Amino acid sequence: MANLEIRNVTKVYSVRKKEKVVLDNCDMFVPYGQITGLIGRSGSGKSTLSRLVMRLEEPTNGTIYLGQTPISQIDKKHYYKQVQIVFQNATAALNPSWTIRKVLEEVLIVKKEKWGSHHNEMLRKMNLSPSILNVYPSQLSGGEKQRVNVLRALLMKPSLLVCDEIVSNLDRLNQKELISLLVEIQKDTDMTILFISHDLDIVRSICSTIFELEDGKLKQLL
C-alpha cells in the first residue's frame, strides 16, 4: 500500500511541427486510503494525466512515484497488479464476443485463482446477479457494464484505482448507485482512489482532497 505522487510533470505533444503543452509542471499527492478528486473541463488534460499514471504514455519531464519508487522503475506486470483503471466508455472496455464470465476470469488467470463463492459475493456487492456471468456485454445496461468494469479492476486487488470519468455516460440513478458502491468498497478495503470527473458536485460528495486542471496547470481546491 502506497501513496501516489506526481512531481513536476510536464507533457508536451508535437502537433503539426508545433509543441502543445498539455500538462505544465504539475504536482499532485494522492494519499493512501483516501478518495482524491481531479476535475477539469474537457480538454484540460485529465485523461492525459491518467494515461501517464497508467504508464500508457511517458511524461516529457518530471516523475511519478508509487510510494518512494518512480513508477518507471517498477516492472509493468507488477505495477498493474497494484494499479488499475476504469475508463469512461464502459462498452468499449468489454470484449463483445466474450461472456461476462470470460471477461472476469481473464483476471483470475493472472491471479492464478479459480472462480469461487467469494467472487459471487463480490458480484452481489456490485449489485450484480451471478446469472450475469452467462450473458454478453450487449445484453447489459450501461450501469451494469460499468459495474462489471469496476469489478474486473477490483478482482486484481489493487492498492490504487484510477476512475476516469466512469459515471459521465450514466444517468443520475446509475451514477448515484456506482458512486455509493465505490465509497463502500473504499471503506471496506482502504483502497486509494483517484476519481477523475468534470462534475464538481459529484467529486465534492466523495473526495477528501480535490485538484483542478485548467490550461495544463494543476492546483489544489480542497
Side-chain angles (χ1 to χ4, degrees):
M1 301 295 185
N3 304 311
L4 177 75
E5 188 170 1
I6 294 165
R7 295 185 196 169
N8 307 114
V9 165
T10 295
K11 182 63 178 178
V12 180
Y13 293 102
S14 180
V15 181
R16 296 177 184 176
K17 297 183 179 180
K18 293 183 179 180
E19 289 191 342
K20 180 179 180 181
V21 179
V22 178
L23 299 173
D24 186 4
N25 201 34
C26 293
D27 293 301
M28 175 190 281
F29 184 73
V30 181
Y32 159 72
Q34 296 184 26
I35 304 178
T36 297
L38 174 62
I39 66 163
R41 296 190 298 263
S42 177
S44 63
K46 302 188 306 297
S47 290
T48 296
L49 189 62
S50 72
R51 288 196 296 272
L52 297 183
V53 170
M54 294 309 301
R55 300 180 65 183
L56 301 175
E57 298 184 33
E58 297 295 327
T60 305
N61 291 301
T63 308
I64 300 174
Y65 295 83
L66 189 64
Q68 300 298 314
T69 307
I71 64 173
S72 60
Q73 296 179 14
I74 303 173
D75 175 76
K76 276 195 173 183
K77 187 176 181 180
H78 182 62
Y79 186 73
Y80 291 133
K81 288 181 179 179
Q82 299 180 75
V83 183
Q84 287 284 300
I85 187 169
V86 182
F87 293 103
Q88 176 180 358
N89 191 330
T91 300
L94 297 171
N95 188 326
S97 65
W98 286 6
T99 64
I100 300 306
R101 179 183 293 277
K102 188 170 182 179
V103 167
L104 297 176
E105 286 186 342
E106 184 186 30
V107 178
L108 298 187
I109 291 172
V110 176
K111 298 289 289 182
K112 297 181 179 179
E113 295 179 10
K114 291 185 177 181
W115 192 270
S117 59
H118 63 290
H119 296 115
N120 285 333
E121 184 59 30
M122 290 182 72
L123 274 172
R124 294 187 185 95
K125 284 184 177 180
M126 294 302 299
N127 288 345
L128 296 168
S129 167
S131 63
I132 206 173
L133 294 172
N134 301 316
V135 307
Y136 292 88
S138 61
Q139 298 172 267
L140 303 181
S141 68
E144 288 172 329
K145 290 176 187 176
Q146 199 61 299
R147 294 201 299 280
V148 167
N149 284 320
V150 172
L151 176 57
R152 177 172 57 182
L154 293 178
L155 287 174
M156 285 297 294
K157 300 177 183 176
S159 57
L160 170 66
L161 180 65
V162 179
C163 298
D164 190 359
E165 294 277 10
I166 66 169
V167 298
S168 63
N169 290 341
L170 304 179
D171 60 40
R172 285 294 179 182
L173 183 60
N174 277 300
Q175 284 183 355
K176 185 176 180 180
E177 180 181 18
L178 185 51
I179 288 167
S180 295
L181 288 169
L182 274 179
V183 171
E184 182 179 345
I185 289 164
Q186 192 278 327
K187 287 180 179 177
D188 289 344
T189 63
D190 258 355
M191 182 173 55
T192 305
I193 297 177
L194 175 58
F195 189 88
I196 302 170
S197 177
H198 63 272
D199 192 322
L200 182 57
D201 289 337
I202 290 176
V203 172
R204 277 178 174 160
S205 71
I206 63 170
C207 296
S208 54
T209 306
I210 301 173
F211 291 85
E212 181 181 24
L213 255 176
E214 186 174 10
D215 297 327
K217 295 285 189 179
L218 193 60
K219 64 180 179 181
Q220 187 169 349
L221 296 183
L222 177 66

